[in-house]
């Protein structure tokens, strides 16, 4: 009976250990949707975008990790009017200001096991973003463009089961990428598969 009990404990320990996330490097693919706008810009409202990328994690242990990667996003904000030469000019129709960005976050993350191969996780940290295509609005013969470089802070939380992740998050930009304090504000939702 004693041998059977020891054998059962060893089997349960082996099964639990095989279900844990191992220390070291882990990679994956991500897809996301987002709703973004510029803070403190009169006439601007949220637009919808999407993106895809590559996620990289370094797991210090099962519960603590460093999360980074590279994301390519198609973003948009809607404008009903625009400020030009000190005046707020209404646009003939609502205009979608689309831009494209390469984004790199560097986050510290934590996860807690709920069951075998199932975790809740959260991560937060700074990000840097570079526009490969700037957003612009034509005002007569003049083009008003967004800035190329953005940086700020991001956070996300979600659930992982059998290497699939579903998450939601927020980006809080610190750089003025549109005139008059226009900073990135984005709600992000997405999914990932970790190898």
């Amino acid at each position: 009976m004693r041998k059977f009990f020891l054998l059962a404990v060893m089997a349960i320990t082996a099964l639990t250990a095989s279900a844990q996330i191992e220390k070291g490097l882990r990679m994956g693919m991500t897809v996301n949707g987002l709703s973004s706008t510029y803070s403190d810009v009169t006439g601007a409202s949220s637009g919808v975008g999407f993106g895809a990328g590559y996620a990289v994690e370094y797991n210090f242990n099962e519960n603590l990790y460093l999360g980074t990667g590279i994301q390519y996003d198609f973003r948009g904000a809607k404008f009903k009017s625009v400020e030009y030469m000190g005046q707020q000019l209404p646009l003939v129709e609502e205009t979608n200001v689309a831009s494209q960005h390469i984004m790199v976050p560097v986050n510290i993350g934590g996860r807690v096991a709920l069951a075998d191969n199932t975790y809740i996780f959260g991560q937060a940290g700074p990000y840097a973003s570079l526009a490969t295509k700037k957003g612009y609005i034509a005002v007569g013969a003049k083009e008003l463009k967004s800035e190329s470089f953005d940086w700020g802070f991001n956070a996300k939380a979600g659930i992982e089961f059998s290497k699939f992740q579903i998450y939601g998050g927020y980006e809080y930009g610190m750089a003025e990428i549109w005139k008059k304090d226009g900073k990135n504000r984005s709600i992000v939702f997405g999914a990932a598969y970790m190898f």
Side-chain angles (χ1 to χ4, degrees):
M1 182 68 153
R2 189 175 187 185
K3 288 181 181 179
F4 176 76
F5 178 75
L6 288 174
L7 187 61
V9 168
M10 288 172 52
I12 290 169
T13 303
L15 286 172
T16 305
S18 68
Q20 293 177 348
I21 292 175
E22 296 178 7
K23 180 179 176 181
L25 201 60
R26 191 167 78 136
M27 296 172 232
M29 302 298 290
T30 64
V31 293
N32 67 35
L34 49 94
S35 174
S36 58
T37 191
Y38 300 115
S39 67
D40 302 321
V41 175
T42 304
S45 61
S46 296
V48 177
F50 63 94
Y54 193 64
V56 179
E57 288 179 2
Y58 182 81
N59 295 291
F60 300 105
N61 55 47
E62 184 185 16
N63 303 111
L64 182 66
Y65 64 94
L66 177 70
T68 187
I70 188 164
Q71 185 83 18
Y72 196 84
D73 291 329
F74 295 82
R75 298 173 179 264
K78 295 177 181 176
F79 282 74
K80 292 181 180 177
S81 62
V82 64
E83 185 173 324
Y84 181 64
M85 297 182 69
Q87 296 183 33
Q88 195 71 27
L89 303 176
L91 300 173
V92 175
E93 59 184 5
E94 188 173 62
T95 302
N96 188 39
V97 179
S99 57
Q100 297 172 25
H101 300 261
I102 295 172
M103 180 180 166
V104 177
V106 180
N107 296 330
I108 293 294
R111 66 173 69 85
V112 176
L114 298 177
D116 284 352
N117 290 320
T118 305
Y119 298 85
I120 55 171
F121 67 90
Q123 63 183 50
Y127 75 84
S129 176
L130 183 66
T132 58
K133 178 182 179 290
K134 295 181 182 183
Y136 71 92
I137 296 176
V139 180
K142 180 83 172 171
E143 273 190 358
L144 305 179
K145 291 188 176 182
S146 62
E147 296 295 325
S148 295
F149 181 73
D150 181 28
W151 71 277
F153 298 96
N154 76 110
K156 72 178 181 180
I159 187 165
E160 176 175 339
F161 49 94
S162 300
K163 299 186 179 181
F164 288 96
Q165 295 180 349
I166 298 172
Y167 58 85
Y170 192 73
E171 295 168 7
Y172 189 85
M174 300 299 289
E176 293 181 10
I177 54 176
W178 199 262
K179 297 182 183 300
K180 298 289 183 183
D181 296 324
K183 298 174 184 175
N184 173 44
R185 300 289 185 264
S186 296
I187 297 170
V188 181
F189 47 91
Y193 179 76
M194 305 302 292
F195 305 115

